[in-house]
């Protein structure tokens, strides 16, 4: 019986190493509220990401939501964003009483099309919230230019891009956390780097760091002075400890993901009708995802059929991202995907194939063989 293959599997450390890391928590009995592990992880992440301030939070969603809140935008302000993302990005805007304005995406990187942002700017626009989709980096230079011209904040949803670096036009390499006013990460169990649940807001601005410190703790400045309508979004010590241990092994995990990525390329390249994961030049990828577009016109069969066949073989890929967030049930009648046709097309073709550090290369072969034989069996050619 072949084993079940899921789209992802969490990176998990050696048990003894984790137990060792949490021993001091049992001594201190300090379980949450910015304890020793929390402080240590923030410090290590600042170094790893090359950024002055890292504010740990309970998950990536709250990183987005509290970042938006931290800027005190006027109610009803417009945020230019992408529909080709996890629903969290759009919810974060709406839950802040702001209005998402959907911009179409680039057909290669699947990130927001920076050339289409400017015509969406109105006098109500307050921010741009782009997403580094599948770890592809947005056109950060163009976005910075637009933001400067119209005095907008840029809040990156960098949930897919942890630890990546990119060489820009000037040839200098920069960490992904350094773009925009803030960059938000998710450390959810399914991400390249995890703290079980968790996230962080990165910036070079101490004011933002201090605001977030309060916002994630009920807006409490000190016991008798509550300065904001805060939430409870603190990362606990056991999660921070998980992060400290996982961070040590991250380079190995990424190297193993890279092997999986390369195996897919070897097996699936040069097939008319398949478009494989794009990695832009100058990018040091974290190999978080392996999305493939299936072109029905060329293949004679569509993404859903491939997905169904994989499932018959106990292989669970994911239609990621489908539906678009502007087509989500909850937003029917409120938003629409009419103005984002490229996102509609890609969302209808994309299937994220399984990728994780411990995915055996034999299993990658098995996945590819199922896809290839289905194309040969049913396809037109
Ligand atoms: C995972 C993810 C989030 C949400 O992060 P959580 O830690 O699950 O709350 C937001 N945006 C994108 C693009 C994500 O992939």
């Amino acid at each position: 019986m072949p084993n079940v293959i899921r789209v992802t599997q969490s990176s998990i450390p050696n048990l003894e190493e984790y137990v060792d890391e949490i021993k001091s928590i049992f001594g201190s009995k300090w379980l949450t509220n910015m304890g020793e592990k929390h402080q240590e992880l923030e410090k290590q992440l600042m170094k790893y990401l090359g950024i002055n301030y890292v504010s740990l939070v309970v998950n990536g969603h709250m990183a987005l939501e509290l970042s938006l809140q931290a800027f005190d935008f006027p109610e009803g302000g417009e945020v230019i964003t992408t529909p080709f993302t996890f629903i969290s990005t759009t919810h974060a805007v709406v839950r802040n009483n702001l209005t998402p304005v959907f911009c179409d995406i680039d057909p290669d990187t699947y990130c927001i099309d920076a050339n289409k942002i400017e015509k969406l700017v109105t006098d109500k626009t307050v921010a741009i919230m782009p997403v580094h989709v599948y770890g592809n980096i947005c056109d950060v230079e163009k976005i910075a230019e637009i933001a400067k011209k119209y005095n907008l904040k840029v809040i990156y949803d960098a949930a897919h891009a942890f630890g990546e670096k990119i060489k820009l036009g000037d040839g200098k390499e920069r960490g992904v956390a350094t773009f925009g006013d803030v960059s938000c990460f998710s450390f959810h169990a399914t991400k390249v780097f995890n703290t079980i649940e968790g996230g962080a807001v990165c910036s070079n601005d101490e004011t933002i760091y201090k605001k977030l410190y309060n916002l994630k703790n009920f807006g409490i400045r000190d016991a008798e002075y509550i300065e904001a309508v805060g939430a409870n979004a603190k990362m606990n010590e056991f999660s921070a400890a998980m992060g400290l241990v996982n961070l040590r092994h991250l380079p190995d995990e990424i190297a193993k993901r890279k092997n999986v990525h390369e195996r897919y390329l070897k097996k699936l390249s040069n097939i008319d009708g398949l478009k494989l994961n794009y990695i832009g030049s100058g990018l040091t990828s974290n190999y978080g995802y392996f999305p493939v577009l299936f072109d029905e016109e060329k293949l004679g069969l569509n993404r859903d059929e491939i997905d169904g066949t994989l499932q018959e073989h106990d292989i669970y890929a994911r239609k990621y991202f489908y539906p678009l967030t502007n087509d989500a049930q909850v937003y029917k009648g409120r938003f629409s995907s009419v103005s984002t046709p490229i996102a509609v097309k890609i969302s209808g073709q994309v299937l994220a194939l399984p990728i994780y550090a411990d995915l055996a290369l034999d299993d990658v072969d098995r996945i590819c063989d199922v896809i290839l034989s289905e194309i040969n069996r049913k396809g037109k050619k």
Side-chain angles (χ1 to χ4, degrees), residues 5 259-269 271 274 276 290 292 294 306 309-310 313 315 353-354 359-376:
I5 303 173
N259 291 336
V260 171
H261 175 96
E262 285 175 350
R263 189 66 154 233
Y264 273 127
L265 290 187
K266 194 170 151 210
K267 298 277 288 188
L268 298 179
S269 286
I271 292 169
L274 294 195
L276 307 185
F290 199 89
V292 177
F294 293 89
I306 296 275
T309 305
L310 286 168
H313 288 81
I315 298 163
L353 299 183
L359 181 59
L361 297 182
D362 283 350
D363 283 336
V364 179
D365 290 348
R366 184 155 81 82
I367 295 164
C368 295
D369 291 342
V370 170
I371 293 171
L372 294 172
S373 62
E374 185 67 358
I375 288 173
N376 288 330

mmCIF file of all heavy atoms in Angstrom, residues 5 259-269 271 274 276 290 292 294 306 309-310 313 315 353-354 359-376:
data_model
loop_
_atom_site.group_PDB
_atom_site.id
_atom_site.type_symbol
_atom_site.label_atom_id
_atom_site.label_comp_id
_atom_site.label_asym_id
_atom_site.label_seq_id
_atom_site.Cartn_x
_atom_site.Cartn_y
_atom_site.Cartn_z
ATOM 1 N N ILE A 5 0.210 10.878 0.986
ATOM 2 C CA ILE A 5 1.081 12.064 0.904
ATOM 3 C C ILE A 5 0.207 13.310 0.980
ATOM 4 O O ILE A 5 -0.689 13.496 0.168
ATOM 5 C CB ILE A 5 1.878 12.087 -0.412
ATOM 6 C CG1 ILE A 5 2.696 10.806 -0.565
ATOM 7 C CG2 ILE A 5 2.789 13.313 -0.457
ATOM 8 C CD1 ILE A 5 3.385 10.683 -1.920
ATOM 9 N N ASN A 259 15.947 20.051 -2.547
ATOM 10 C CA ASN A 259 16.078 18.775 -3.283
ATOM 11 C C ASN A 259 14.738 18.344 -3.870
ATOM 12 O O ASN A 259 14.673 17.850 -4.996
ATOM 13 C CB ASN A 259 16.591 17.664 -2.358
ATOM 14 C CG ASN A 259 18.034 17.904 -1.967
ATOM 15 O OD1 ASN A 259 18.771 18.598 -2.673
ATOM 16 N ND2 ASN A 259 18.441 17.339 -0.841
ATOM 17 N N VAL A 260 13.686 18.509 -3.082
ATOM 18 C CA VAL A 260 12.345 18.149 -3.568
ATOM 19 C C VAL A 260 11.991 19.029 -4.765
ATOM 20 O O VAL A 260 11.533 18.538 -5.812
ATOM 21 C CB VAL A 260 11.295 18.320 -2.442
ATOM 22 C CG1 VAL A 260 9.881 18.155 -2.986
ATOM 23 C CG2 VAL A 260 11.567 17.343 -1.304
ATOM 24 N N HIS A 261 12.236 20.315 -4.607
ATOM 25 C CA HIS A 261 11.952 21.285 -5.665
ATOM 26 C C HIS A 261 12.671 20.867 -6.961
ATOM 27 O O HIS A 261 12.079 20.833 -8.047
ATOM 28 C CB HIS A 261 12.425 22.668 -5.197
ATOM 29 C CG HIS A 261 12.306 23.754 -6.213
ATOM 30 N ND1 HIS A 261 11.245 24.610 -6.267
ATOM 31 C CD2 HIS A 261 13.122 24.106 -7.238
ATOM 32 C CE1 HIS A 261 11.406 25.451 -7.268
ATOM 33 N NE2 HIS A 261 12.542 25.170 -7.880
ATOM 34 N N GLU A 262 13.941 20.537 -6.827
ATOM 35 C CA GLU A 262 14.722 20.212 -8.017
ATOM 36 C C GLU A 262 14.262 18.902 -8.659
ATOM 37 O O GLU A 262 14.305 18.755 -9.879
ATOM 38 C CB GLU A 262 16.214 20.193 -7.676
ATOM 39 C CG GLU A 262 16.680 21.634 -7.534
ATOM 40 C CD GLU A 262 18.115 21.818 -7.080
ATOM 41 O OE1 GLU A 262 18.751 20.817 -6.672
ATOM 42 O OE2 GLU A 262 18.573 22.968 -7.119
ATOM 43 N N ARG A 263 13.816 17.982 -7.820
ATOM 44 C CA ARG A 263 13.307 16.733 -8.367
ATOM 45 C C ARG A 263 12.048 16.982 -9.198
ATOM 46 O O ARG A 263 11.874 16.421 -10.274
ATOM 47 C CB ARG A 263 13.008 15.761 -7.214
ATOM 48 C CG ARG A 263 12.669 14.366 -7.681
ATOM 49 C CD ARG A 263 13.886 13.711 -8.338
ATOM 50 N NE ARG A 263 13.786 12.269 -8.225
ATOM 51 C CZ ARG A 263 14.751 11.504 -7.725
ATOM 52 N NH1 ARG A 263 15.896 12.030 -7.328
ATOM 53 N NH2 ARG A 263 14.584 10.197 -7.637
ATOM 54 N N TYR A 264 11.176 17.854 -8.692
ATOM 55 C CA TYR A 264 9.980 18.215 -9.472
ATOM 56 C C TYR A 264 10.386 18.834 -10.810
ATOM 57 O O TYR A 264 9.821 18.518 -11.849
ATOM 58 C CB TYR A 264 9.128 19.236 -8.701
ATOM 59 C CG TYR A 264 8.117 18.650 -7.735
ATOM 60 C CD1 TYR A 264 8.077 19.063 -6.407
ATOM 61 C CD2 TYR A 264 7.166 17.715 -8.167
ATOM 62 C CE1 TYR A 264 7.131 18.556 -5.517
ATOM 63 C CE2 TYR A 264 6.221 17.205 -7.285
ATOM 64 C CZ TYR A 264 6.212 17.631 -5.969
ATOM 65 O OH TYR A 264 5.275 17.129 -5.100
ATOM 66 N N LEU A 265 11.361 19.752 -10.753
ATOM 67 C CA LEU A 265 11.787 20.407 -11.991
ATOM 68 C C LEU A 265 12.278 19.378 -12.988
ATOM 69 O O LEU A 265 11.963 19.427 -14.177
ATOM 70 C CB LEU A 265 12.911 21.415 -11.719
ATOM 71 C CG LEU A 265 12.576 22.694 -10.966
ATOM 72 C CD1 LEU A 265 13.783 23.621 -10.958
ATOM 73 C CD2 LEU A 265 11.376 23.410 -11.572
ATOM 74 N N LYS A 266 13.052 18.428 -12.484
ATOM 75 C CA LYS A 266 13.640 17.411 -13.357
ATOM 76 C C LYS A 266 12.552 16.573 -14.025
ATOM 77 O O LYS A 266 12.618 16.278 -15.215
ATOM 78 C CB LYS A 266 14.551 16.525 -12.498
ATOM 79 C CG LYS A 266 15.462 15.653 -13.310
ATOM 80 C CD LYS A 266 16.508 14.994 -12.409
ATOM 81 C CE LYS A 266 16.899 13.664 -13.017
ATOM 82 N NZ LYS A 266 17.302 12.683 -12.001
ATOM 83 N N LYS A 267 11.540 16.239 -13.250
ATOM 84 C CA LYS A 267 10.504 15.340 -13.780
ATOM 85 C C LYS A 267 9.444 16.065 -14.620
ATOM 86 O O LYS A 267 8.847 15.474 -15.512
ATOM 87 C CB LYS A 267 9.784 14.627 -12.626
ATOM 88 C CG LYS A 267 10.663 13.749 -11.765
ATOM 89 C CD LYS A 267 10.890 12.360 -12.323
ATOM 90 C CE LYS A 267 9.669 11.469 -12.237
ATOM 91 N NZ LYS A 267 9.968 10.073 -12.599
ATOM 92 N N LEU A 268 9.174 17.330 -14.286
ATOM 93 C CA LEU A 268 8.007 17.985 -14.911
ATOM 94 C C LEU A 268 8.348 19.129 -15.878
ATOM 95 O O LEU A 268 7.446 19.742 -16.453
ATOM 96 C CB LEU A 268 7.056 18.521 -13.823
ATOM 97 C CG LEU A 268 6.440 17.485 -12.880
ATOM 98 C CD1 LEU A 268 5.546 18.176 -11.845
ATOM 99 C CD2 LEU A 268 5.631 16.427 -13.623
ATOM 100 N N SER A 269 9.650 19.403 -16.038
ATOM 101 C CA SER A 269 10.013 20.510 -16.939
ATOM 102 C C SER A 269 9.694 20.182 -18.385
ATOM 103 O O SER A 269 9.638 19.009 -18.764
ATOM 104 C CB SER A 269 11.512 20.817 -16.821
ATOM 105 O OG SER A 269 11.756 21.473 -15.608
ATOM 106 N N ILE A 271 7.099 20.328 -20.274
ATOM 107 C CA ILE A 271 5.871 19.667 -20.716
ATOM 108 C C ILE A 271 4.887 20.760 -21.116
ATOM 109 O O ILE A 271 4.564 21.635 -20.297
ATOM 110 C CB ILE A 271 5.308 18.768 -19.613
ATOM 111 C CG1 ILE A 271 6.300 17.614 -19.436
ATOM 112 C CG2 ILE A 271 3.918 18.256 -19.962
ATOM 113 C CD1 ILE A 271 6.067 16.781 -18.258
ATOM 114 N N LEU A 274 2.119 22.655 -18.836
ATOM 115 C CA LEU A 274 2.424 22.782 -17.404
ATOM 116 C C LEU A 274 3.300 24.005 -17.205
ATOM 117 O O LEU A 274 4.266 24.200 -17.938
ATOM 118 C CB LEU A 274 3.213 21.581 -16.868
ATOM 119 C CG LEU A 274 2.576 20.217 -16.827
ATOM 120 C CD1 LEU A 274 3.400 19.288 -15.930
ATOM 121 C CD2 LEU A 274 1.152 20.282 -16.340
ATOM 122 N N LEU A 276 5.568 25.583 -14.232
ATOM 123 C CA LEU A 276 6.085 25.253 -12.906
ATOM 124 C C LEU A 276 6.415 26.507 -12.111
ATOM 125 O O LEU A 276 6.517 27.605 -12.647
ATOM 126 C CB LEU A 276 7.339 24.388 -13.034
ATOM 127 C CG LEU A 276 7.183 23.127 -13.893
ATOM 128 C CD1 LEU A 276 8.444 22.287 -13.841
ATOM 129 C CD2 LEU A 276 5.971 22.300 -13.453
ATOM 130 N N PHE A 290 5.313 24.453 -4.107
ATOM 131 C CA PHE A 290 5.575 24.073 -5.488
ATOM 132 C C PHE A 290 4.275 24.111 -6.296
ATOM 133 O O PHE A 290 3.659 23.079 -6.572
ATOM 134 C CB PHE A 290 6.249 22.699 -5.603
ATOM 135 C CG PHE A 290 6.920 22.541 -6.944
ATOM 136 C CD1 PHE A 290 8.227 22.946 -7.125
ATOM 137 C CD2 PHE A 290 6.223 22.049 -8.043
ATOM 138 C CE1 PHE A 290 8.843 22.867 -8.357
ATOM 139 C CE2 PHE A 290 6.820 21.971 -9.287
ATOM 140 C CZ PHE A 290 8.142 22.379 -9.444
ATOM 141 N N VAL A 292 1.881 24.483 -9.503
ATOM 142 C CA VAL A 292 1.939 24.174 -10.939
ATOM 143 C C VAL A 292 0.633 24.647 -11.570
ATOM 144 O O VAL A 292 -0.450 24.431 -11.010
ATOM 145 C CB VAL A 292 2.096 22.659 -11.170
ATOM 146 C CG1 VAL A 292 2.084 22.334 -12.663
ATOM 147 C CG2 VAL A 292 3.396 22.149 -10.541
ATOM 148 N N PHE A 294 -1.965 24.140 -14.585
ATOM 149 C CA PHE A 294 -2.379 23.147 -15.578
ATOM 150 C C PHE A 294 -3.275 23.837 -16.603
ATOM 151 O O PHE A 294 -4.366 24.293 -16.269
ATOM 152 C CB PHE A 294 -3.121 21.996 -14.893
ATOM 153 C CG PHE A 294 -2.235 21.177 -13.998
ATOM 154 C CD1 PHE A 294 -2.059 21.528 -12.660
ATOM 155 C CD2 PHE A 294 -1.548 20.064 -14.482
ATOM 156 C CE1 PHE A 294 -1.219 20.789 -11.827
ATOM 157 C CE2 PHE A 294 -0.707 19.322 -13.655
ATOM 158 C CZ PHE A 294 -0.546 19.686 -12.322
ATOM 159 N N ILE A 306 -6.825 16.574 -12.547
ATOM 160 C CA ILE A 306 -5.514 16.133 -12.038
ATOM 161 C C ILE A 306 -5.592 15.944 -10.519
ATOM 162 O O ILE A 306 -5.143 14.937 -9.974
ATOM 163 C CB ILE A 306 -4.426 17.186 -12.356
ATOM 164 C CG1 ILE A 306 -4.237 17.342 -13.864
ATOM 165 C CG2 ILE A 306 -3.116 16.866 -11.645
ATOM 166 C CD1 ILE A 306 -3.306 16.358 -14.512
ATOM 167 N N THR A 309 -7.431 12.767 -9.674
ATOM 168 C CA THR A 309 -6.621 11.565 -9.922
ATOM 169 C C THR A 309 -5.555 11.395 -8.831
ATOM 170 O O THR A 309 -5.337 10.282 -8.342
ATOM 171 C CB THR A 309 -5.924 11.670 -11.299
ATOM 172 O OG1 THR A 309 -6.921 11.911 -12.275
ATOM 173 C CG2 THR A 309 -5.165 10.404 -11.623
ATOM 174 N N LEU A 310 -4.932 12.493 -8.443
ATOM 175 C CA LEU A 310 -3.936 12.407 -7.360
ATOM 176 C C LEU A 310 -4.584 11.861 -6.090
ATOM 177 O O LEU A 310 -4.026 10.995 -5.413
ATOM 178 C CB LEU A 310 -3.309 13.782 -7.102
ATOM 179 C CG LEU A 310 -2.299 14.270 -8.146
ATOM 180 C CD1 LEU A 310 -1.969 15.747 -7.939
ATOM 181 C CD2 LEU A 310 -1.012 13.441 -8.114
ATOM 182 N N HIS A 313 -4.933 8.327 -5.739
ATOM 183 C CA HIS A 313 -3.667 7.681 -5.393
ATOM 184 C C HIS A 313 -3.177 8.092 -4.006
ATOM 185 O O HIS A 313 -1.989 7.960 -3.692
ATOM 186 C CB HIS A 313 -2.603 8.022 -6.437
ATOM 187 C CG HIS A 313 -2.815 7.348 -7.757
ATOM 188 N ND1 HIS A 313 -3.705 7.818 -8.697
ATOM 189 C CD2 HIS A 313 -2.272 6.221 -8.277
ATOM 190 C CE1 HIS A 313 -3.695 7.018 -9.752
ATOM 191 N NE2 HIS A 313 -2.836 6.033 -9.521
ATOM 192 N N ILE A 315 -2.773 11.014 -2.794
ATOM 193 C CA ILE A 315 -1.890 12.183 -2.828
ATOM 194 C C ILE A 315 -2.772 13.426 -2.739
ATOM 195 O O ILE A 315 -3.652 13.635 -3.572
ATOM 196 C CB ILE A 315 -1.056 12.206 -4.124
ATOM 197 C CG1 ILE A 315 -0.171 10.963 -4.184
ATOM 198 C CG2 ILE A 315 -0.221 13.485 -4.214
ATOM 199 C CD1 ILE A 315 0.392 10.663 -5.562
ATOM 200 N N LEU A 353 1.576 21.430 -5.287
ATOM 201 C CA LEU A 353 1.940 20.021 -5.080
ATOM 202 C C LEU A 353 2.624 19.860 -3.715
ATOM 203 O O LEU A 353 3.170 20.816 -3.171
ATOM 204 C CB LEU A 353 2.876 19.550 -6.201
ATOM 205 C CG LEU A 353 2.301 19.616 -7.616
ATOM 206 C CD1 LEU A 353 3.307 19.052 -8.630
ATOM 207 C CD2 LEU A 353 0.979 18.834 -7.716
ATOM 208 N N PRO A 354 2.596 18.638 -3.175
ATOM 209 C CA PRO A 354 3.214 18.426 -1.858
ATOM 210 C C PRO A 354 4.690 18.812 -1.857
ATOM 211 O O PRO A 354 5.420 18.489 -2.797
ATOM 212 C CB PRO A 354 3.059 16.915 -1.639
ATOM 213 C CG PRO A 354 1.855 16.541 -2.451
ATOM 214 C CD PRO A 354 1.925 17.421 -3.666
ATOM 215 N N LEU A 359 9.799 14.987 2.637
ATOM 216 C CA LEU A 359 9.150 14.292 1.523
ATOM 217 C C LEU A 359 10.226 13.519 0.745
ATOM 218 O O LEU A 359 11.185 14.115 0.238
ATOM 219 C CB LEU A 359 8.441 15.296 0.607
ATOM 220 C CG LEU A 359 7.680 14.722 -0.594
ATOM 221 C CD1 LEU A 359 6.581 13.752 -0.158
ATOM 222 C CD2 LEU A 359 7.054 15.837 -1.436
ATOM 223 N N ALA A 360 10.056 12.204 0.677
ATOM 224 C CA ALA A 360 11.070 11.364 0.023
ATOM 225 C C ALA A 360 11.071 11.619 -1.482
ATOM 226 O O ALA A 360 10.017 11.839 -2.082
ATOM 227 C CB ALA A 360 10.777 9.894 0.308
ATOM 228 N N LEU A 361 12.239 11.565 -2.082
ATOM 229 C CA LEU A 361 12.317 11.799 -3.522
ATOM 230 C C LEU A 361 11.566 10.714 -4.303
ATOM 231 O O LEU A 361 11.023 10.981 -5.379
ATOM 232 C CB LEU A 361 13.780 11.910 -3.973
ATOM 233 C CG LEU A 361 14.542 13.100 -3.360
ATOM 234 C CD1 LEU A 361 15.960 13.176 -3.897
ATOM 235 C CD2 LEU A 361 13.817 14.423 -3.582
ATOM 236 N N ASP A 362 11.511 9.518 -3.757
ATOM 237 C CA ASP A 362 10.707 8.458 -4.391
ATOM 238 C C ASP A 362 9.230 8.863 -4.443
ATOM 239 O O ASP A 362 8.515 8.530 -5.387
ATOM 240 C CB ASP A 362 10.797 7.155 -3.580
ATOM 241 C CG ASP A 362 12.126 6.459 -3.824
ATOM 242 O OD1 ASP A 362 12.865 6.895 -4.741
ATOM 243 O OD2 ASP A 362 12.425 5.493 -3.084
ATOM 244 N N ASP A 363 8.800 9.527 -3.379
ATOM 245 C CA ASP A 363 7.409 9.986 -3.352
ATOM 246 C C ASP A 363 7.180 11.105 -4.371
ATOM 247 O O ASP A 363 6.114 11.191 -4.978
ATOM 248 C CB ASP A 363 7.011 10.440 -1.944
ATOM 249 C CG ASP A 363 6.738 9.253 -1.023
ATOM 250 O OD1 ASP A 363 6.419 8.167 -1.547
ATOM 251 O OD2 ASP A 363 6.846 9.410 0.204
ATOM 252 N N VAL A 364 8.171 11.966 -4.536
ATOM 253 C CA VAL A 364 8.060 13.012 -5.561
ATOM 254 C C VAL A 364 7.915 12.341 -6.934
ATOM 255 O O VAL A 364 7.069 12.721 -7.745
ATOM 256 C CB VAL A 364 9.292 13.948 -5.555
ATOM 257 C CG1 VAL A 364 9.155 15.013 -6.644
ATOM 258 C CG2 VAL A 364 9.458 14.609 -4.194
ATOM 259 N N ASP A 365 8.712 11.313 -7.148
ATOM 260 C CA ASP A 365 8.621 10.575 -8.421
ATOM 261 C C ASP A 365 7.222 9.994 -8.603
ATOM 262 O O ASP A 365 6.654 10.044 -9.692
ATOM 263 C CB ASP A 365 9.649 9.432 -8.454
ATOM 264 C CG ASP A 365 11.079 9.984 -8.571
ATOM 265 O OD1 ASP A 365 11.228 11.182 -8.858
ATOM 266 O OD2 ASP A 365 12.022 9.198 -8.356
ATOM 267 N N ARG A 366 6.697 9.435 -7.521
ATOM 268 C CA ARG A 366 5.369 8.831 -7.603
ATOM 269 C C ARG A 366 4.315 9.883 -7.971
ATOM 270 O O ARG A 366 3.458 9.649 -8.834
ATOM 271 C CB ARG A 366 5.012 8.172 -6.255
ATOM 272 C CG ARG A 366 3.700 7.433 -6.244
ATOM 273 C CD ARG A 366 3.685 6.350 -5.180
ATOM 274 N NE ARG A 366 3.392 6.856 -3.847
ATOM 275 C CZ ARG A 366 2.172 7.107 -3.396
ATOM 276 N NH1 ARG A 366 1.115 6.936 -4.168
ATOM 277 N NH2 ARG A 366 1.992 7.524 -2.159
ATOM 278 N N ILE A 367 4.405 11.059 -7.342
ATOM 279 C CA ILE A 367 3.462 12.146 -7.637
ATOM 280 C C ILE A 367 3.569 12.535 -9.117
ATOM 281 O O ILE A 367 2.557 12.653 -9.824
ATOM 282 C CB ILE A 367 3.767 13.376 -6.741
ATOM 283 C CG1 ILE A 367 3.517 13.035 -5.265
ATOM 284 C CG2 ILE A 367 2.922 14.586 -7.169
ATOM 285 C CD1 ILE A 367 4.153 14.021 -4.283
ATOM 286 N N CYS A 368 4.801 12.704 -9.573
ATOM 287 C CA CYS A 368 5.008 13.132 -10.961
ATOM 288 C C CYS A 368 4.529 12.059 -11.937
ATOM 289 O O CYS A 368 3.923 12.378 -12.972
ATOM 290 C CB CYS A 368 6.486 13.430 -11.205
ATOM 291 S SG CYS A 368 7.071 14.830 -10.238
ATOM 292 N N ASP A 369 4.767 10.806 -11.604
ATOM 293 C CA ASP A 369 4.343 9.723 -12.498
ATOM 294 C C ASP A 369 2.821 9.672 -12.636
ATOM 295 O O ASP A 369 2.299 9.440 -13.725
ATOM 296 C CB ASP A 369 4.892 8.380 -12.017
ATOM 297 C CG ASP A 369 6.420 8.309 -12.195
ATOM 298 O OD1 ASP A 369 6.958 9.137 -12.978
ATOM 299 O OD2 ASP A 369 7.063 7.465 -11.550
ATOM 300 N N VAL A 370 2.127 9.905 -11.523
ATOM 301 C CA VAL A 370 0.660 9.932 -11.591
ATOM 302 C C VAL A 370 0.207 11.060 -12.520
ATOM 303 O O VAL A 370 -0.658 10.872 -13.387
ATOM 304 C CB VAL A 370 0.038 10.108 -10.177
ATOM 305 C CG1 VAL A 370 -1.460 10.389 -10.276
ATOM 306 C CG2 VAL A 370 0.301 8.869 -9.317
ATOM 307 N N ILE A 371 0.818 12.215 -12.366
ATOM 308 C CA ILE A 371 0.437 13.373 -13.200
ATOM 309 C C ILE A 371 0.751 13.091 -14.666
ATOM 310 O O ILE A 371 -0.101 13.290 -15.546
ATOM 311 C CB ILE A 371 1.176 14.649 -12.731
ATOM 312 C CG1 ILE A 371 0.687 15.056 -11.335
ATOM 313 C CG2 ILE A 371 0.982 15.797 -13.719
ATOM 314 C CD1 ILE A 371 1.500 16.170 -10.686
ATOM 315 N N LEU A 372 1.951 12.602 -14.913
ATOM 316 C CA LEU A 372 2.375 12.394 -16.305
ATOM 317 C C LEU A 372 1.553 11.316 -16.987
ATOM 318 O O LEU A 372 1.164 11.453 -18.151
ATOM 319 C CB LEU A 372 3.872 12.051 -16.354
ATOM 320 C CG LEU A 372 4.797 13.195 -15.916
ATOM 321 C CD1 LEU A 372 6.244 12.724 -15.812
ATOM 322 C CD2 LEU A 372 4.672 14.379 -16.863
ATOM 323 N N SER A 373 1.257 10.236 -16.274
ATOM 324 C CA SER A 373 0.501 9.180 -16.950
ATOM 325 C C SER A 373 -0.942 9.617 -17.191
ATOM 326 O O SER A 373 -1.548 9.249 -18.199
ATOM 327 C CB SER A 373 0.584 7.848 -16.202
ATOM 328 O OG SER A 373 0.019 7.988 -14.939
ATOM 329 N N GLU A 374 -1.467 10.465 -16.297
ATOM 330 C CA GLU A 374 -2.816 10.991 -16.518
ATOM 331 C C GLU A 374 -2.837 11.903 -17.752
ATOM 332 O O GLU A 374 -3.769 11.860 -18.555
ATOM 333 C CB GLU A 374 -3.291 11.744 -15.267
ATOM 334 C CG GLU A 374 -4.720 12.244 -15.314
ATOM 335 C CD GLU A 374 -5.767 11.133 -15.318
ATOM 336 O OE1 GLU A 374 -5.386 9.936 -15.316
ATOM 337 O OE2 GLU A 374 -6.962 11.473 -15.343
ATOM 338 N N ILE A 375 -1.799 12.703 -17.901
ATOM 339 C CA ILE A 375 -1.709 13.594 -19.073
ATOM 340 C C ILE A 375 -1.609 12.740 -20.347
ATOM 341 O O ILE A 375 -2.289 13.018 -21.340
ATOM 342 C CB ILE A 375 -0.504 14.544 -18.940
ATOM 343 C CG1 ILE A 375 -0.807 15.610 -17.861
ATOM 344 C CG2 ILE A 375 -0.190 15.223 -20.276
ATOM 345 C CD1 ILE A 375 0.364 16.504 -17.527
ATOM 346 N N ASN A 376 -0.814 11.721 -20.301
ATOM 347 C CA ASN A 376 -0.660 10.862 -21.485
ATOM 348 C C ASN A 376 -1.908 10.077 -21.814
ATOM 349 O O ASN A 376 -2.251 9.839 -22.957
ATOM 350 C CB ASN A 376 0.517 9.897 -21.300
ATOM 351 C CG ASN A 376 1.832 10.642 -21.389
ATOM 352 O OD1 ASN A 376 1.925 11.652 -22.084
ATOM 353 N ND2 ASN A 376 2.850 10.179 -20.674
#
